[in-house]
Structures are given as structure tokens and as C-alpha cells.
Amino acid sequence: MTGLGRASGGAEAAPASQQGMRRQNLAVVLGAVAAHGPLSRADVAGQTGLTRPAVSSMVDELIARGALTETETAPSGRVGRPGRALVLSDRGPAGLGLEIGVTHLAACVVDLRGEARVWRRVERANAGRPAGQVLAEAAVLGAEAESAAAGLGLRVEGRVLAVPGVVPNAPRGLIANAPNLGWQAVRPADHWPDPDTVPEPENEANLGALAEQWHQGLPDETFVHVSAEAGIGAALIVGGQLFRGARGFAGELGHLPVHPEGAPCACGARGCLEQYAGEAAVLREAGLAGTGDPVALLAERAGAGDAATLRALDRAGRALGLALASAVHLIDPDGLVLGGAYAELADWLLPPVRAELAARVTVRPWAPEAVRPAALGRRGPVLGAAWSTVRQIIADPTRLPAR
């Protein structure tokens, strides 16, 4: 550009600024339809404060990118052409969520409306298996889900992988430690068969918390989301934002000591919460073998009134309540959410958890209903993984190629 006689300062800054403003306005328009649609173009102008010509230009571009569709509304009884309404597209852009659990693999594709259009889940004993083998199987499952989505007219624009491990803030793309899988310093990109479809890894508890926030419409709430499979993880949403900690290691609630001189933990410490409220500990206390779906087995036995299972769940709930009381005192959250396996066992865990909190949280108001089961249960992490892409697209529609 300098060869055309333009100055190297403000003359080159203007196009970048205009481009940034257009990107922002596209996000504002798409966000308005996502939050309040279906809307007419005039409605969008009223919602956003943009002029009608500007809205019309933005809408045309969003339609071209496959983010919006315009449909005829129901007849209004007025003379003239039927009105037209803008809605998020149920074809075109989509997000793929993948999950590697200790006992399963899962995949989910959601459209821009956030609706799950494809589900895949297979039971796999992943603990101790080579990371490359597990990741290759997850890639196959993801490819199957993408193929099914393509048959529905959906095009995956982003991929996120939920894992039961620590994903540090930097470098991204690294699973630093997944102890219940037996993984250390694993990069999915090193094992993924197709370099164009490598997913971004993220901690499953973080994704479960974000999924709960988005699903429940809690934009500004501060809450702790606790989930359990083989291990226990937690995620902290502060004022609507995920708190990852200085290095991305926040949320290791399973290694909070609840009995300092208690049972040894695989992490090297003693008395960690996982040794009293983790899946293996509850099964052991109940005298059950961990075959099949252990959560379903525990729920079945507890529902049938099995005394050993009820005692085991009561013990787990009291240990969990003890740990959560510390979290309440430290963080002062609006509420606590029991996710993952805990959500499906909430009928038996909530009474002892609430009793422990009532006895220990005495310096601030605390209501029993501030502890609740997650609405999404064990589906939260994989849904959160898929929804992450949709949220990113709505925040920046220029991620989408124009058709």
C-alpha cells in the first residue's frame, strides 16, 4: 500500500478498524437472533440499535455464510406480503464434541441452534491403554458422527475433546496429566489420523460447567460444578466466566483432603476426597464390582433399598459436603451443582451433602436448595464440547466461510 502513496500510519489503520467494526456488528446481529429469534430485520434493528440498511447488509452476509435462514412467518391477517423471520440455521455450520472417559467414548454434533443432531457412545475400558490407541478410536467415532451430520446437511466447523485430565493454559493442545487414564503429557495432534480434524482438548469438568451455564441461562452466576467418574473434578464459574487458575490447574477438588491422616491416594497424598466419594471408593464400600455401568448399578441398588449401597452413598455425600463447605467459605458462590455421575445419584447424595453444609457453613446465609443436580447429567461434558464451537461462531461469524 505504501507504493500507492499512502502514509504508513492512519491510512492503513482505517481498513483494519472498519473490518473489526463489521465483525463486531455481525456478531451483534447473530447474537440478537440467537437470543431472541425468530426476528424480522426490523426487529433486529430495534434490538441492536443498528440502522435498517446496516442490518440488511449484515443479514445478507450471515445468510451467505450459512448462519441464518429467512422464513415466512404465519399470516398476520393484514393486507400485503407475509412477514419474514430470521432464525439460526439448522443446516450448514455445526460443532463436534468428543469425550474420552475412563469407561466410554462419546461424540455429539450440534447445529447453530444448539440442538444435538447426532449422538454416538460406545463403552470402552480406556484406563491404562496406550493414548494413541484410544485417540485413534475417538477419531473413528468422530468421523462417523461427522458423516452422519453431513447426511443431515451439517458441516462441522470446530471440534473440542473433553478429557478427564489437566489441560494447562499453555501450551494449548496438551493434556498434561490424566491420572485415571494413565496419561502424561499427551498431545492429541501427535496421534490423530487426520491433521485437519484434530480437536482442541479441554477438561471435562470445565466443559460440563460451561454446558450447565449455557443450558440454564446463567450469564452472571458464580457457581462450583462438581462431577465424578473414576475421579472427581470441579470447575468454577465466576461472574459467568470460567476460572482456570494461573496455569489451568484449578478445580482439582478430588485431591482436597477431607481426612488428613486418611487413606493413601494415587496422587501421593492421604485422605483425598476421591478416596471417600470417588466411584471406586463408593463401589468398594457398597461391596459391588465395577463391571458394566457402575453409576446405573449404584442407582439400581440404592433404589431397591440395599443397605450397603445406601451407607456407601451416605458416606460419600458427607465427604463431598465436607469438601464443598471449604469451597463455599473460600469462594462464596451463588450455588453448587452436582454433575456427571453425581447428578444421577443425587437422590441419595443430596441429603448428606446438604446436612454437612448446613452444619459447617454458618458465617453466611446458605439455603439447602443452593445445591442442585446438573440438568444435563453425564451428557454435560460432550454437549459442552460441541456447544463451544457454536458459541465461538456466534461470537465471531467471520469464522464461517462465505458460500
Side-chain angles (χ1 to χ4, degrees):
M1 288 187 180
T2 54
L4 298 177
R6 294 186 179 179
S8 59
E12 290 197 14
S17 176
Q18 291 170 0
Q19 184 181 24
M21 183 173 292
R22 185 167 186 84
R23 180 185 295 113
Q24 179 180 339
N25 287 341
L26 284 168
V28 167
V29 170
L30 187 58
V33 177
H36 306 291
L39 297 174
S40 69
R41 295 187 184 217
D43 292 334
V44 173
Q47 289 276 348
T48 63
L50 297 170
T51 65
R52 291 196 182 191
V55 166
S56 185
S57 173
M58 301 293 166
V59 165
D60 289 342
E61 181 171 343
L62 290 168
I63 290 174
R65 291 180 183 272
L68 292 179
T69 58
E70 198 165 26
T71 61
E72 289 190 358
T73 61
S76 63
R78 292 178 295 188
V79 177
R81 292 182 304 173
R84 298 182 67 80
L86 297 163
V87 295
L88 293 175
S89 178
D90 62 353
R91 298 173 67 83
L96 171 66
L98 294 163
E99 182 181 15
I100 294 176
V102 174
T103 60
H104 72 278
L105 300 172
C108 172
V109 177
V110 301
D111 61 26
L112 278 190
R113 302 170 303 172
E115 294 189 14
R117 305 288 294 281
V118 178
W119 283 99
R120 295 286 187 274
R121 180 184 170 101
V122 293
E123 303 305 313
R124 288 284 190 278
N126 294 320
R129 289 206 293 148
Q133 182 180 359
V134 176
L135 287 162
E137 292 178 7
V140 169
L141 193 66
E144 292 174 357
E146 288 200 40
S147 178
L152 299 174
L154 295 168
R155 180 183 69 254
V156 169
E157 296 288 350
R159 302 158 185 86
V160 176
L161 172 66
V163 292
V166 175
V167 179
N169 294 340
R172 296 301 294 167
L174 172 69
I175 303 168
N177 185 22
N180 291 306
L181 292 174
W183 294 4
Q184 289 276 349
V186 172
R187 296 179 183 274
D190 294 339
H191 305 282
W192 212 258
D194 182 356
D196 293 329
T197 64
V198 178
E200 180 78 12
E202 179 57 277
N203 174 265
E204 57 86 21
N206 288 346
L207 290 168
L210 290 169
E212 186 72 11
Q213 178 197 34
W214 299 332
H215 180 70
Q216 296 289 85
L218 305 171
D220 302 314
E221 189 175 16
T222 293
F223 66 92
V224 180
H225 181 279
V226 189
S227 61
E229 195 185 32
I232 299 173
L236 176 58
I237 303 292
V238 180
Q241 300 297 315
L242 176 67
F243 177 77
R244 299 180 57 88
R247 297 174 180 82
F249 286 67
E252 290 298 309
L253 188 75
H255 298 292
L256 187 73
V258 291
H259 297 292
E261 303 303 322
C265 180
C267 74
R270 301 185 70 89
C272 295
L273 177 62
E274 280 189 8
Q275 300 308 307
Y276 300 90
E279 184 180 280
V282 178
L283 289 170
R284 184 173 59 249
E285 183 75 8
L288 301 174
T291 56
D293 184 342
V295 178
L297 176 61
L298 285 166
E300 178 185 350
R301 294 295 291 269
D306 180 73
T309 302
L310 293 173
R311 282 196 303 271
L313 289 170
D314 181 79
R315 177 178 182 256
R318 292 190 178 279
L320 183 58
L322 178 59
L324 290 174
S326 296
V328 169
H329 286 305
L330 182 64
I331 298 160
D332 186 28
D334 295 306
L336 304 169
V337 179
L338 303 187
Y342 287 154
E344 298 187 22
L345 298 170
D347 285 349
W348 303 281
L349 290 173
L350 277 175
V353 167
R354 286 172 171 165
E356 201 70 30
L357 285 163
R360 295 180 182 278
V361 180
T362 58
V363 297
R364 55 151 285 176
W366 185 260
E369 59 270 19
V371 191
R372 59 178 176 82
L376 298 172
R378 285 192 280 176
R379 298 183 304 154
V382 72
L383 276 170
W387 286 342
S388 293
T389 294
V390 170
R391 301 280 297 190
Q392 290 170 4
I393 290 171
I394 291 173
D396 181 10
T398 61
R399 293 167 53 98
L400 299 174
R403 294 184 297 183

